[in-house]
Amino acid sequence: MSNASPRRYRLASALAVAALSTLLARPASAQAIGTAGSTGTTTTTTASLADGDIFIGVQQTEGANLAAFDLQRFFNKANCDCDTPVFLYFTLTNTGFAKRGLVPTGTVSFWVGAGCATDVLTQKTSCQFLQSDQIATFMQLGRETIKTSARVISANSSLAAAGVDGGTTFTNGTVPNPDCTSPSNGFNQTIWAVFDYGADGSFDYAASTAVFVDLQPPPAPTNISVAGGNEAVTIKWTPVDYSLNMDLQGYQIFCQRGGGLQVFPNNTFGSAVKACTSPDGGVMDLDPLFACSPLLNRTVDSYRVKILQNGIPYGAAVVAIDNSGNALAPVLAGENFADPQKTLSFYDVYRDGNITNGAPGQMPTPGQATGGLCAVGGGRTAFGAGSVAFAALAATLVRARRRRR
């Protein structure tokens, strides 16, 4: 290699370093406009947050985000009635962490409701304030966990904002939607993190996520009947019209032994119903300990509850369950009770004279079975005309064989 080559290499390296220094000396620019709000008055920024920079999770147990499948079914009537604690988790993603120290100062506030990044007036009427923090603090920590409840999340403020009856208006200091009702079959609730660069009252960026809330159970099945069998009861019903009620997961049987007692040992059947169980429990409260069947398909119209004790009354009810685990309280009217009865054999019928096989009001008269090949003469002998004829035929056959010999 000639002496000129190293000199040319050092010259090219020096020029590259100078060009890189010039580029780094230029200030970075970004447009400080929120995706769900208005343009703020702060115009000089080094970086602004954008879609994908913040992740919002929902946790039942702090530190563990609900999976998408579970989250779709979590905000139901039971969790609202129980006012189940919920943790909202806001965290920077990888792209968000890359902007730590670059986002302008100001405030970030956390809300639940409809249109919480529109304007302050909307926030006051249709949004529940959770808490606020300095943007610098949030960006430095990289995360924020806020405790709230399923009842707060389940308030349908979007209906109130639209002036629809049944909607809930958030008011600080009061419990939203104390009855856990909604006029709609389901709605999307929105969780917000709203950023105000420069704390000037204008919204510059908002991160949000929607969760599904379902507070209405499906219609009840009709024409429910219960009949006793041998160590069993069979319950029948007319299924819900699935074409009219698409939010239908299936059916489950709840039952009790006479006196309100539990029928099967604990956890024999897992309950598909979610309910805020009262201290008394029982079928009427959809206590999971009173489940007497697995989850049944939505096309099933009957089920036999087996391994019961004969002669004891059992009450059974069938409930329709939607995809969120909602179900109407069952009805245990008199017609929903039945007594399992032993299935009588032919000998039982003869011995007891109970030709009705346990019909109500029929008193058996022992030894009074009549008719047939095995009962003649008022039941005074176990050998009927059929038996006599068979004996005569056998004797004739024996005599014929002796003649042939």
Side-chain angles (χ1 to χ4, degrees):
M1 181 183 293
S2 64
N3 293 334
S5 296
R7 284 196 296 271
R8 285 196 300 271
Y9 176 76
R10 287 194 294 271
L11 178 59
S13 298
L15 291 174
V17 171
L20 180 59
S21 300
T22 301
L23 290 173
L24 292 176
R26 296 177 180 175
S29 61
Q31 191 174 16
I33 300 177
T35 58
S38 58
T39 304
T41 57
T42 303
T43 56
T44 57
T45 64
T46 55
S48 60
L49 293 170
D51 288 345
D53 288 342
I54 295 177
F55 169 80
I56 303 174
V58 178
Q59 305 174 349
Q60 182 178 9
T61 302
E62 188 174 4
N65 292 314
L66 290 172
F69 179 85
D70 297 321
L71 183 59
Q72 183 72 10
R73 293 156 174 77
F74 181 79
F75 292 105
N76 54 23
K77 184 74 163 59
N79 282 324
C80 183
D81 284 336
C82 295
D83 205 15
T84 303
V86 173
F87 299 90
L88 304 181
Y89 180 62
F90 303 83
T91 184
L92 296 173
T93 63
N94 290 337
T95 57
F97 268 107
K99 298 177 181 179
R100 294 173 70 180
L102 302 178
V103 176
T105 59
T107 59
V108 54
S109 54
F110 305 94
W111 304 80
V112 171
C116 300
T118 304
D119 52 51
V120 175
L121 181 61
T122 302
Q123 284 182 341
K124 291 181 178 180
T125 58
S126 64
C127 299
Q128 176 70 35
F129 172 74
L130 300 176
Q131 71 181 50
S132 63
D133 208 341
Q134 295 296 314
I135 293 178
T137 303
F138 174 75
M139 295 298 293
Q140 181 62 31
L141 293 175
R143 62 186 180 276
E144 189 97 36
T145 300
I146 300 173
K147 184 178 180 179
T148 181
S149 72
R151 187 168 296 171
V152 171
I153 302 296
S154 299
N156 196 347
S157 61
S158 60
L159 292 180
V164 178
D165 291 340
T168 300
T169 299
F170 286 109
T171 303
N172 290 333
T174 63
V175 177
N177 200 13
D179 298 327
C180 293
T181 58
S182 174
S184 62
N185 289 329
F187 64 94
N188 288 319
Q189 181 66 281
T190 310
I191 302 166
W192 303 83
V194 181
F195 290 78
D196 177 5
Y197 300 155
D200 53 17
S202 296
F203 305 146
D204 297 280
Y205 171 73
S208 65
T209 191
V211 294
F212 182 70
V213 180
D214 181 7
L215 304 179
Q216 285 196 357
T222 56
N223 303 319
I224 300 173
S225 64
V226 180
N230 185 33
E231 298 183 347
V233 295
T234 298
I235 183 168
K236 297 182 179 180
W237 63 92
T238 300
V240 175
D241 188 346
Y242 178 67
S243 65
L244 301 178
N245 300 276
M246 301 298 288
D247 185 20
L248 179 66
Q249 185 177 186
Y251 303 94
Q252 191 161 32
I253 308 302
F254 285 76
C255 63
Q256 68 182 34
R257 181 169 166 159
L261 301 177
Q262 186 178 330
V263 177
F264 295 107
N266 292 1
N267 304 316
T268 300
F269 297 101
S271 175
V273 179
K274 296 180 180 179
C276 191
T277 307
S278 71
D280 295 332
V283 174
M284 300 304 294
D285 294 315
L286 297 171
D287 189 325
L289 297 180
F290 285 77
C292 290
S293 79
L295 177 65
L296 307 173
N297 190 282
R298 56 178 172 255
T299 61
V300 172
D301 60 4
S302 66
Y303 184 79
R304 184 178 175 88
V305 182
K306 299 179 291 186
I307 322 178
L308 305 181
Q309 184 176 349
N310 287 332
I312 301 294
Y314 290 87
V318 58
V319 295
I321 307 169
D322 69 12
N323 291 307
S324 297
N326 297 315
L328 285 173
V331 176
L332 272 178
E335 60 269 20
N336 286 3
F337 281 81
D339 295 2
Q341 296 289 343
K342 179 182 178 181
T343 300
L344 300 180
S345 65
F346 191 84
Y347 176 72
D348 291 328
V349 174
Y350 165 75
R351 180 192 63 194
D352 297 332
N354 189 354
I355 60 175
T356 60
N357 197 24
Q362 176 69 37
M363 298 299 293
T365 303
Q368 295 301 308
T370 59
L373 297 177
C374 298
V376 294
R380 285 174 292 184
T381 175
F383 297 96
S387 299
V388 174
F390 179 79
L393 177 61
T396 303
L397 291 175
V398 171
R399 286 194 297 271
R401 292 184 62 184
R402 287 175 179 175
R403 294 192 193 100
R404 287 194 295 271
R405 289 177 181 176

